[in-house]
Amino acid sequence: LVIIESDGSRADVKELILRCIEVMVQAVSHNIRSGWGTIFSVLTVSARDEDVAKIGLEILHQLVDEHLDQLTARSEDFTSMVKAAVAFIYEEGGKTVLPAHLSLRAVCYLACFSDRLSAFENGQDDDSCELWRLIIGGLSRGCIFAGGRGRLVGRACVCAL
């Protein structure tokens, strides 16, 4: 799925993959154990394509709203979710610039993740340090790469920092 989503496939194929993931999340998310990494990889790749980025962000929104407790229980899943959200704020290399409203939603998710991380953090282990690095790094790069979206995303990232 990640390969199909990331190569030059047509937008309708990419949308179909995301809709299938959306249905899986809605129907059987309580049974998904080790598949979250693949799901978040597909969402991360969807952030690179403006045609399907909104669908990917809608799925991420659903996961944050309905399954955050489940996804923060395992550090690998939480890390993958944070990386997916960061992908909607900026892209390494700046090839794709998403509309500001999509990036702003992702900034809000990073704020939620920060709240969650600080709420259950007991000391500083390697996993929590990695998560903080991802969150703060994503926000700071969002400040720098606001680019053609004006100052709005950059200011939102500064406020979240």
Side-chain angles (χ1 to χ4, degrees):
L1 291 175
V2 175
I3 293 170
I4 294 170
E5 188 74 23
S6 63
D7 73 2
S9 298
R10 297 184 340 231
D12 59 337
V13 173
K14 293 179 181 184
E15 183 177 347
L16 178 64
I17 291 170
L18 288 170
R19 294 295 181 196
C20 290
I21 288 176
E22 182 179 38
V23 169
M24 282 183 359
V25 166
Q26 291 171 350
V28 293
S29 63
H30 58 281
N31 289 330
I32 299 173
R33 301 286 183 261
S34 61
W36 289 114
T38 302
I39 289 172
F40 288 122
S41 294
V42 171
L43 294 179
T44 300
V45 170
S46 76
R48 298 181 194 149
D49 187 345
E50 191 174 344
D51 295 331
V52 294
K54 184 176 179 186
I55 299 167
L57 200 59
E58 288 170 0
I59 296 169
L60 186 61
H61 177 78
Q62 179 183 3
L63 292 170
V64 170
D65 278 357
E66 299 173 12
H67 306 289
L68 191 58
D69 290 335
Q70 177 185 356
L71 294 168
T72 56
R74 288 185 32 162
S75 64
E76 298 88 15
D77 298 337
F78 197 14
T79 302
S80 296
M81 185 168 48
V82 169
K83 287 179 181 178
V86 167
F88 287 95
I89 296 173
Y90 81 98
E91 181 193 353
E92 207 66 58
K95 295 176 187 167
T96 304
V97 177
L98 294 176
H101 69 281
L102 295 179
S103 295
L104 289 173
R105 284 177 58 190
V107 168
C108 291
Y109 301 147
L110 287 182
C112 292
F113 301 155
S114 298
D115 288 344
R116 179 57 62 107
L117 184 58
S118 64
F120 65 74
E121 192 174 61
N122 295 328
Q124 292 197 345
D125 59 1
D126 289 341
D127 291 336
S128 65
C129 288
E130 172 68 10
L131 284 165
W132 280 117
R133 186 190 66 75
L134 287 171
I135 292 169
I136 292 170
L139 291 172
S140 65
R141 284 188 294 274
C143 296
I144 296 168
F145 293 115
R149 296 171 290 178
R151 296 182 190 168
L152 188 61
V153 175
R155 287 184 183 183
C157 289
V158 168
C159 290
L161 281 171

